[in-house]
Amino acid sequence: MFRHKPHERTWLGLGFETLELIYHVAVRKLRKTHNNAVLGLVMSIVQSLLMLLIMYFMMSLFGMRRIAVRGDFMLYVMSGVFMFMTHIKAIGAVSSADGPTSQMMMHAPMNPIISIMGAALGSLYQQTLSAAVILFVYHAIWNPITIDEPVGMLGMFLLSWFSGVGIGMVFLSARPWQPETVGILVSIYQRANVIASGKMVLANNLASNRRDWFDWNPLFHTIDQARGFVFLNYTPRYTDYHYAVYYALVCMMIGLMMEFFTRQHASASWNKRR
């Protein structure tokens, strides 16, 4: 008579509840970076701008402007930096998302997949906002820009983020076993991509033996393909965005399998030994 009867929810209601949870996790992830949400977004924009200026002056100093695509050199630098920042920030956000031993997992509607999606979407929001603001200011104040195929360029931007999410899931699933080691590996991978992403060079201009140094990296393919969509005078011949798609899907499947295995064996007492 007095037994509590749970309210029956439809699949549509459950879907909206999941989206709401993802939204709140994304907001929480963004607010963790800074107490002031607006200032946190401004700091993200400043970080991207600093990376952009450093790459611009470095490439100008070492005489690398002559190997760039014929067109706006600043836009050439932006096409590499924005893809690079989106990729590594997605790896960092997903790899540090709440895992199976997190306190957040004690709340009933919460699960690791929602945590991963919230962290990934929060990272994408930050980098999209940063790129949009910098492009708008450059277009309005310094030099009007023209993108040959904006939809294709946006697709490569999202693919850079998606491949970062896949790689981040592999690191996330391994983190409960060896948190310190995985943290070091994430930092090494992010730092190595400063060079290994190939954002300072064009695939068409590289010799075959030099191109082999970058071919393994999905970010190298998305950056080169993005420049093909941005510039009318450049057609990528040695990169393929399908490779980045397959790479990301394989990493995501490996990450999901590892995360499921870790969830079955994870214990809150693991960190007590450290």
Side-chain angles (χ1 to χ4, degrees), residues 2-120:
F2 298 103
R3 184 178 301 170
H4 173 68
K5 293 183 179 180
H7 177 66
E8 293 185 2
R9 292 171 292 180
T10 63
W11 284 104
L12 184 61
L14 289 172
F16 278 110
E17 181 181 335
T18 302
L19 291 176
E20 184 182 7
L21 282 172
I22 292 171
Y23 168 76
H24 286 296
V25 170
V27 172
R28 176 177 175 269
K29 192 74 176 178
L30 291 173
R31 293 297 297 267
K32 283 174 66 176
T33 58
H34 203 281
N35 292 332
N36 189 312
V38 176
L39 191 56
L41 294 174
V42 171
M43 292 302 295
S44 176
I45 296 171
V46 171
Q47 187 178 14
S48 298
L49 183 60
L50 286 175
M51 172 65 73
L52 187 63
L53 294 176
I54 290 171
M55 295 303 302
Y56 178 84
F57 288 114
M58 184 182 297
M59 295 179 71
S60 299
L61 181 64
F62 290 104
M64 301 183 69
R65 299 185 67 152
R66 57 186 176 82
I67 64 173
V69 179
R70 187 169 69 253
D72 192 334
F73 180 67
M74 193 63 175
L75 187 59
Y76 171 81
V77 178
M78 288 181 185
S79 63
V81 170
F82 290 154
M83 305 291 167
F84 166 76
M85 292 295 292
T86 303
H87 184 78
I88 65 167
K89 289 296 184 180
I91 294 174
V94 174
S95 64
S96 61
D98 294 318
T101 58
S102 171
Q103 298 292 327
M104 289 294 293
M105 297 303 137
M106 295 183 180
H107 300 276
M110 191 65 179
N111 61 67
I113 300 302
I114 291 177
S115 174
I116 292 169
M117 294 182 67

Side-chain angles (χ1 to χ4, degrees), residues 20-273:
E20 184 182 7
L21 282 172
I22 292 171
Y23 168 76
H24 286 296
V25 170
V27 172
R28 176 177 175 269
K29 192 74 176 178
L30 291 173
R31 293 297 297 267
K32 283 174 66 176
T33 58
H34 203 281
N35 292 332
N36 189 312
V38 176
L39 191 56
L41 294 174
V42 171
M43 292 302 295
S44 176
I45 296 171
V46 171
Q47 187 178 14
S48 298
L49 183 60
L50 286 175
M51 172 65 73
L52 187 63
L53 294 176
I54 290 171
M55 295 303 302
Y56 178 84
F57 288 114
M58 184 182 297
M59 295 179 71
S60 299
L61 181 64
F62 290 104
M64 301 183 69
R65 299 185 67 152
R66 57 186 176 82
I67 64 173
V69 179
R70 187 169 69 253
D72 192 334
F73 180 67
M74 193 63 175
L75 187 59
Y76 171 81
V77 178
M78 288 181 185
S79 63
V81 170
F82 290 154
M83 305 291 167
F84 166 76
M85 292 295 292
T86 303
H87 184 78
I88 65 167
K89 289 296 184 180
I91 294 174
V94 174
S95 64
S96 61
D98 294 318
T101 58
S102 171
Q103 298 292 327
M104 289 294 293
M105 297 303 137
M106 295 183 180
H107 300 276
M110 191 65 179
N111 61 67
I113 300 302
I114 291 177
S115 174
I116 292 169
M117 294 182 67
L121 291 175
S123 169
L124 178 63
Y125 170 74
Q126 273 188 318
Q127 297 310 309
T128 302
L129 179 66
S130 300
V133 169
I134 293 173
L135 281 171
F136 173 76
V137 171
Y138 180 75
H139 176 82
I141 298 178
W142 276 278
N143 186 32
I145 60 175
T146 301
I147 297 176
D148 185 39
E149 297 184 45
V151 176
M153 181 273 297
L154 181 60
M156 293 303 102
F157 181 82
L158 293 175
L159 186 53
S160 300
W161 166 79
F162 183 64
S163 58
V165 172
I167 296 170
M169 287 183 65
V170 176
F171 286 125
L172 173 67
S173 59
R175 186 179 288 274
W177 301 92
Q178 286 293 333
E180 296 85 1
T181 303
V182 173
I184 293 172
L185 291 176
V186 170
S187 297
I188 291 174
Y189 187 87
Q190 290 175 323
R191 302 298 184 273
N193 262 294
V194 175
I195 304 298
S197 63
K199 62 179 178 291
M200 296 183 290
V201 296
L202 290 174
N204 289 2
N205 294 342
L206 289 174
S208 59
N209 60 336
R210 294 290 185 269
R211 199 163 51 246
D212 292 340
W213 297 357
F214 306 99
D215 265 341
W216 61 271
N217 195 340
L219 186 57
F220 175 67
H221 292 260
T222 56
I223 290 176
D224 195 61
Q225 289 291 315
R227 284 169 174 161
F229 290 118
V230 171
F231 296 99
L232 179 64
N233 302 315
Y234 183 68
T235 303
R237 297 195 303 268
Y238 301 106
T239 56
D240 187 357
Y241 67 88
H242 292 96
Y243 172 80
V245 174
Y246 297 144
Y247 190 103
L249 291 175
V250 168
C251 286
M252 193 162 290
M253 291 303 299
I254 293 173
L256 287 172
M257 289 188 293
M258 291 175 60
E259 197 279 330
F260 177 78
F261 178 80
T262 302
R263 198 190 318 165
Q264 304 303 312
H265 297 81
S267 172
S269 63
W270 279 2
N271 292 327
K272 304 301 182 184
R273 301 174 300 173

